[in-house]
Amino acid sequence: MEILGKDYLLVTLDFETFFAPKYTLTAMNTFTYVAHELFSIHGVGIKIEDQKAKWFRDTEEALDYIDTRADGKPVAMVCHNTYFDGWILHKHFDWHPALYIDTMGMSRGLFPTHSASLEKLAERLWPDNNKMRKGKELVNFKGVTTEALWANPAMEQTMARYCIQDCDLTYAAFMRMEPFYPDS
């Protein structure tokens, strides 16, 4: 995809991580959360361009998947809260795309007086399309460790579907908002 006059491989990424009642991004800052001894990655969703999103347990495998598809092309990574996902990639994997794109930040730019959450953004971008909504399943995973998740195939499948839906929704939100952002 051409962005700012350069051809990039557009990759939408979303991490799902362990969280518990006092161990959340609302209870602590991103740096503390990601560096905490409880930090654990349940999995990561990856969507290459407009292709079907995929769930990966292993982040290294997901990064290899991206790198083989990039074939030397620079990667533009789209996330909703790139501050979080990008920091995980930096801190734990020393992996850095050529360009970071944040749909949460884009939402704040286009709708400065409204919530920038993915849930509220989807409601604004697609007010009459109930298929374009963020899932609510994550509340069922509070306190569920990565080991417990991986030991329960049905539960992991629910998490994977939730993550893939977020990737698809984030990608769609980017594509919907991108035309409203000038190159300069």
Side-chain angles (χ1 to χ4, degrees):
M1 174 177 194
E2 188 168 309
I3 304 169
L4 302 173
K6 190 171 184 176
D7 190 27
Y8 289 93
L9 179 73
L10 189 66
V11 175
T12 307
L13 179 144
D14 182 45
F15 277 107
E16 299 303 335
T17 61
F18 172 76
F19 68 104
K22 293 184 180 180
Y23 176 67
T24 66
L25 285 171
T26 54
M28 57 184 64
N29 69 48
T30 299
F31 297 113
T32 303
Y33 180 90
V34 172
H36 198 279
E37 64 186 20
L38 292 177
F39 180 78
S40 177
I41 298 170
H42 290 329
V44 60
I46 302 289
K47 183 177 182 73
I48 306 287
E49 303 280 345
D50 62 354
Q51 297 172 10
K52 186 175 176 2
K54 292 180 67 169
W55 168 258
F56 293 86
R57 277 185 177 183
D58 184 309
T59 303
E60 294 287 355
E61 183 183 333
L63 297 176
D64 288 345
Y65 174 73
I66 294 169
D67 290 340
T68 59
R69 266 94 196 140
D71 195 31
K73 189 186 278 191
V75 172
M77 185 182 73
V78 178
C79 306
H80 194 81
N81 192 1
T82 304
Y83 185 66
F84 174 69
D85 298 291
W87 181 245
I88 293 171
L89 288 170
H90 169 76
K91 174 92 172 132
H92 291 280
F93 303 97
D94 194 29
W95 191 89
H96 308 90
L99 182 65
Y100 294 89
I101 300 170
D102 183 22
T103 54
M104 181 182 283
M106 292 174 77
S107 176
R108 288 181 176 136
L110 288 177
F111 310 103
T113 61
H114 295 83
S115 168
S117 73
L118 188 55
E119 176 183 12
K120 296 301 181 186
L121 176 61
E123 290 170 5
R124 272 192 305 283
L125 294 177
W126 300 281
D128 300 320
N129 186 346
N130 289 334
K131 292 182 180 180
M132 298 299 283
R133 295 292 180 263
K134 182 163 174 52
K136 308 277 189 196
E137 300 88 346
L138 197 59
V139 298
N140 300 322
F141 292 93
K142 187 177 279 189
V144 175
T145 65
T146 301
E147 295 77 20
L149 178 71
W150 290 357
N152 184 325
M155 203 161 53
E156 183 179 0
Q157 191 62 29
T158 299
M159 173 67 78
R161 276 193 308 271
Y162 171 84
C163 183
I164 287 168
Q165 180 188 22
D166 271 7
C167 281
D168 290 336
L169 198 54
T170 299
Y171 169 81
F174 170 71
M175 296 305 290
R176 188 79 181 251
M177 292 186 292
E178 188 272 336
F180 297 97
Y181 276 84
D183 285 349
S184 60

